[in-house]
Amino acid sequence: MKNIRNFCIIAHIDHGKSTLADRLLETTKTITEREAQAQVLDDMDLERERGITIKSHAIQMQYSHEGTNYTLNLIDTPGHVDFSYEVSRSIAACEGALLVVDATQGIQAQTISNLYLALDHDLEIIPVLNKVDMDNAMIEEVSEQIVDLIGCDPDDILLASAKTGFGIPEILEAIVHRVPAPKGDPDAPLQALIFDSVFNSFRGIIAYFRIYNGTINTNDFVKFVATGKEYHADEIGILKLTREKRDQLSAGDVGYIISGIKTSKEVKVGDTITQVENPCNKAIEGFENVKPMVFAGIYPVEADDYEELRASIEKLQLNDASLVFEPESSAALGFGFRCGFLGLLHMEIIQERLDREFDMDVITTVPNVSYKVYTTSGESFDVHNPSGLPDETLIDYIEEPFITANIITKADYVGAIMKLCIDKRGILKNQTYLTTDRLELVFEIPLGEIVFDFYDKLKSISKGYASFDYHVSGYQEAKLSKLDILLNGDSVDALSTLLHRDNAYNFGRRMCEKLKELIPRQQFDIAIQAAIGAKIIARETIKAVRKDVTAKCYGGDISRKRKLLEKQKKGKKRMRQIGNVEVPQSAFLAVLKLD
């Protein structure tokens, strides 16, 4: 055990985490030159194109230093805020972390939030300054930022360039010297933490774990504590670039277990594995069920594809246990599913994967968050969809989720960013200068306000410099109203939204104007109205396409013309009763981009 080192790499998106992992694997000769490629641990095309890690990976390296062979387990973490629970479990499986900071960009929001996670778990932090070979690297400035942030000695910071391979041997030495060996008792009852799982179409769900105490052998009878399910360990082993079988793993080891599990619900990240005959007395702390934060309806473009869409989402769920879905129907869009996502990036990735891996064309409705509704009779329940709200007269009050947002920016953009957050009903909680021209703003903002377009706006007003990170802080009471869009008096359920009363009038008016542009003209007038309850707050009318029925009258009495116009009017009235208004696809997408 004294020669095992378990560590992870934490960094903001684009600071060179995956490239650094590549260099470590090459230097320790874990991968051959033939297997080497850029971002070797990111095996999805989507991850490579976007340069982000979506699914965390683990890999074992062998490294010999001063005549001793060490086993290094790199437990990779996803970089994005949506996956912060998975990051926390990966961090819990380690004893040390490489804190990678880009020398050209300095410290950014996710670096800080992941660093706090690592410090909560008492990890040994090794600061690494990456991209020092770049012409615009600010080595001294960024080193000062790191010293201010973690209070280390300036000499502790390792300079490296993951692209050229400079400084990699020093990082490996630092891992061996600074990261403590795992503690644990191989003879105690088995206690192992699941930090990730993947689906294999031949073997079922494969769980990745790190053993804290005890020993596991092939064919042991094991139990997953949180789900209470029991399995036979058909195969256990370690994680190299491919899986390698072993007969026994003990305390401090990182490995995988295959036990023929068919549904992803049974393997939960953060769960504890123990033996049935000799169970551990308590589970590893920190386990929680991942709760989706953002909800949206996903509908097939062609109604006949409904069953195919169901099968596609079910297959996706095997690879991604945090995706939840249930069937729902909408008058405007037909049958589809209401899906819950961890955040906006997660939602975007699922849409993209449905398109790429399953060739599904889907319509996604306006994303919204889940609200807690308290009725006058004292009941309370969660609502994920505005159409699920009870009548206004039955609602006592509604609570909405709030987040604590950390925004790190250059001083030049503070005014614009503050205005953006305050427009989104944010409250400034704290403001700290990290250096003379970089500061951290802490806001409390309703999650529903940032779901639309907050991130895009933040990037554009700060010219891409501001970095943003958030975590959910709890629910608070809010004055919310359900805004309905009516076409000729009929409500279009897919366009209804739940929003703050102060924003309702503006939003309703803009929505009506936008729909007036997008809905094609019919032979009759179409009234587009925005309503809160029974009160209409905005209206636009799409004029009918008019045929000139009086063209054949020349001269004669005015009453002849009037008679023809009256006849046309009656026809239009009849048509309006039986004619229905088609809402084009673009109208649903336009609501997302109202600004």
Side-chain angles (χ1 to χ4, degrees):
M1 244 168 84
K2 66 178 193 300
N3 294 343
I4 297 178
R5 300 287 182 271
N6 297 327
F7 71 100
C8 60
I9 306 177
I10 50 181
H12 190 80
I13 292 175
D14 254 2
H15 281 203
K17 182 160 67 76
S18 297
T19 316
L20 178 63
D22 289 354
R23 291 298 90 78
L24 292 174
L25 295 176
E26 280 170 21
T27 312
T28 56
K29 300 202 166 40
T30 306
I31 50 175
T32 60
E33 278 180 35
R34 216 177 92 208
E35 293 166 328
Q37 53 170 339
Q39 291 117 14
V40 73
L41 292 181
D42 294 346
D43 50 13
M44 252 189 269
D45 293 342
L46 201 60
E47 292 182 310
R48 300 220 162 138
E49 280 166 32
R50 292 181 169 222
I52 54 177
T53 304
I54 297 166
K55 193 95 181 85
S56 59
H57 294 264
I59 192 160
Q60 190 178 98
M61 301 176 263
Q62 297 297 333
Y63 172 63
S64 62
H65 177 64
E66 295 172 356
T68 315
N69 283 332
Y70 290 93
T71 299
L72 309 182
N73 288 310
L74 163 61
I75 298 172
D76 197 10
T77 57
H80 199 271
V81 12
D82 287 1
F83 309 113
S84 56
Y85 173 66
E86 287 174 36
V87 175
S88 80
R89 295 302 82 206
S90 293
I91 285 175
C94 300
E95 278 82 30
L98 295 180
L99 177 75
V100 178
V101 181
D102 185 335
T104 62
Q105 295 184 29
I107 284 170
Q108 293 190 295
Q110 268 146 339
T111 319
I112 290 185
S113 70
N114 287 348
L115 173 70
Y116 289 154
L117 273 178
L119 291 173
D120 285 348
H121 287 91
D122 292 336
L123 262 60
E124 179 62 41
I125 307 290
I126 302 175
V128 175
L129 194 55
N130 193 18
K131 306 193 186 178
V132 293
D133 61 318
M134 303 276 275
D135 298 337
N136 56 345
M138 308 172 288
I139 296 174
E140 282 166 16
E141 282 174 52
V142 181
S143 297
E144 277 173 29
Q145 290 176 21
I146 295 174
V147 171
D148 288 346
L149 181 67
I150 58 176
C152 64
D153 207 270
D155 302 338
D156 292 346
I157 300 171
L158 302 173
L159 302 185
S161 159
K163 196 168 80 181
T164 61
F166 167 73
I168 301 298
E170 287 76 13
I171 293 177
L172 285 165
E173 275 179 40
I175 292 168
V176 167
H177 291 306
R178 295 197 213 170
V179 176
K183 296 182 183 69
D185 178 4
D187 303 323
L190 177 67
Q191 190 185 33
L193 169 79
I194 298 178
F195 62 84
D196 198 9
S197 66
V198 292
F199 175 72
N200 179 309
S201 43
F202 302 108
R203 310 295 305 265
I205 307 272
I206 301 169
Y208 293 170
F209 62 81
R210 142 83 204 265
I211 303 178
Y212 281 99
N213 290 307
T215 305
I216 183 170
N217 298 297
T218 309
N219 295 328
D220 274 1
F221 199 31
V222 294
K223 176 180 176 179
F224 289 17
V225 178
T227 56
K229 296 267 195 331
E230 297 176 357
Y231 308 100
H232 278 287
D234 298 338
E235 183 184 312
I236 58 170
I238 58 164
L239 297 151
K240 287 285 182 75
L241 201 56
T242 52
R243 295 185 294 275
E244 288 186 11
K245 261 165 100 164
R246 292 285 185 274
D247 291 330
Q248 185 182 57
L249 295 172
S250 62
D253 282 328
V254 173
Y256 69 91
I257 176 170
I258 299 178
S259 40
I261 303 169
K262 295 289 185 292
T263 54
S264 59
K265 292 268 192 315
E266 292 178 26
V267 179
K268 296 191 166 166
V269 171
D271 197 354
T272 307
I273 304 177
T274 188
Q275 269 152 344
V276 176
E277 284 97 47
N278 183 13
C280 56
N281 49 12
K282 68 177 178 40
I284 293 161
E285 286 171 12
F287 170 73
E288 54 188 73
N289 282 316
V290 185
K291 281 207 266 318
M293 291 316 301
V294 174
F295 295 84
I298 289 186
Y299 293 85
V301 173
E302 299 294 329
D304 306 346
D305 295 344
Y306 174 73
E307 281 305 324
E308 219 173 300
L309 179 63
R310 177 197 289 275
S312 306
I313 295 179
E314 280 172 355
K315 281 180 191 155
L316 260 188
Q317 199 184 32
L318 289 171
N319 277 312
D320 187 347
S322 43
L323 169 70
V324 294
F325 70 97
E326 56 183 34
E328 74 166 359
S329 65
S330 138
L333 297 170
F335 291 104
F337 298 94
R338 165 106 342 211
C339 298
F341 309 98
L342 296 175
L344 289 176
L345 176 85
H346 189 211
M347 174 173 140
E348 219 176 289
I349 286 165
I350 296 291
Q351 268 174 276
E352 185 94 359
R353 287 183 68 181
L354 279 173
D355 179 32
R356 284 182 182 207
E357 295 172 24
F358 303 100
D359 213 15
M360 293 299 305
D361 277 342
V362 292
I363 301 170
T364 311
T365 62
V366 184
N368 60 309
V369 298
S370 79
Y371 299 92
K372 282 189 181 351
V373 176
Y374 293 85
T375 59
T376 45
S377 60
E379 293 173 4
S380 74
F381 52 90
D382 288 356
V383 171
H384 306 318
N385 191 348
S387 57
L389 269 187
D391 196 71
E392 285 237 334
T393 52
L394 303 173
I395 298 174
D396 185 13
Y397 62 96
I398 301 176
E399 287 186 347
E400 63 174 342
F402 270 70
I403 59 160
T404 303
N406 295 52
I407 298 168
I408 293 181
T409 173
K410 288 198 161 179
D412 314 358
Y413 311 117
V414 171
I417 288 174
M418 280 191 170
K419 182 181 181 308
L420 170 70
C421 293
I422 289 163
D423 287 350
K424 298 279 187 191
R425 298 192 284 131
I427 299 160
L428 181 65
K429 288 288 181 194
N430 196 358
Q431 175 179 347
T432 355
Y433 273 85
L434 302 171
T435 61
T436 47
D437 68 334
R438 280 167 70 84
L439 74 163
E440 180 182 20
L441 301 169
V442 180
F443 271 92
E444 199 167 67
I445 310 178
L447 180 62
E449 293 283 344
I450 69 158
V451 161
F452 273 135
D453 50 3
F454 179 80
Y455 195 63
D456 297 347
K457 280 185 171 169
L458 178 72
K459 282 293 183 198
S460 55
I461 59 180
S462 67
K463 302 197 170 114
Y465 274 110
S467 61
F468 167 69
D469 188 75
Y470 67 87
H471 59 268
V472 178
S473 55
Y475 282 79
Q476 293 181 23
E477 193 177 331
K479 285 197 255 166
L480 299 169
S481 302
K482 181 184 169 197
L483 180 76
D484 286 314
I485 299 294
L486 312 175
L487 294 181
N488 281 349
D490 295 331
S491 163
V492 181
D493 55 353
L495 290 175
S496 61
T497 48
L498 198 62
L499 73 174
H500 198 264
R501 220 159 281 168
D502 299 350
N503 304 343
Y505 171 70
N506 266 338
F507 188 77
R509 201 185 71 238
R510 295 209 321 262
M511 195 108 138
C512 290
E513 287 166 3
K514 194 76 184 170
L515 288 173
K516 184 181 178 181
E517 292 169 24
L518 293 166
I519 293 176
R521 289 171 70 181
Q522 310 273 355
Q523 299 270 324
F524 51 91
D525 282 4
I526 303 171
I528 303 171
Q529 294 165 309
I532 293 178
K535 184 180 170 193
I536 305 290
I537 57 169
R539 168 175 174 140
E540 292 285 337
T541 309
I542 300 176
K543 284 291 175 203
V545 182
R546 185 161 170 251
K547 180 183 172 192
D548 191 358
V549 286
T550 59
K552 58 179 183 255
C553 284
Y554 47 94
D557 195 351
I558 183 73
S559 60
R560 286 178 64 199
K561 286 187 176 180
R562 188 152 299 139
K563 193 173 158 190
L564 286 167
L565 289 170
E566 286 300 322
K567 191 175 164 192
Q568 186 187 29
K569 209 173 186 178
K570 275 184 191 153
K572 284 202 182 297
K573 195 173 171 187
R574 262 204 318 276
M575 230 150 77
R576 183 169 166 176
Q577 281 164 355
I578 57 163
N580 66 338
V581 185
E582 283 290 316
V583 183
Q585 167 74 48
S586 52
F588 296 107
L589 302 175
V591 177
L592 294 174
K593 304 185 175 72
L594 258 186
D595 290 324

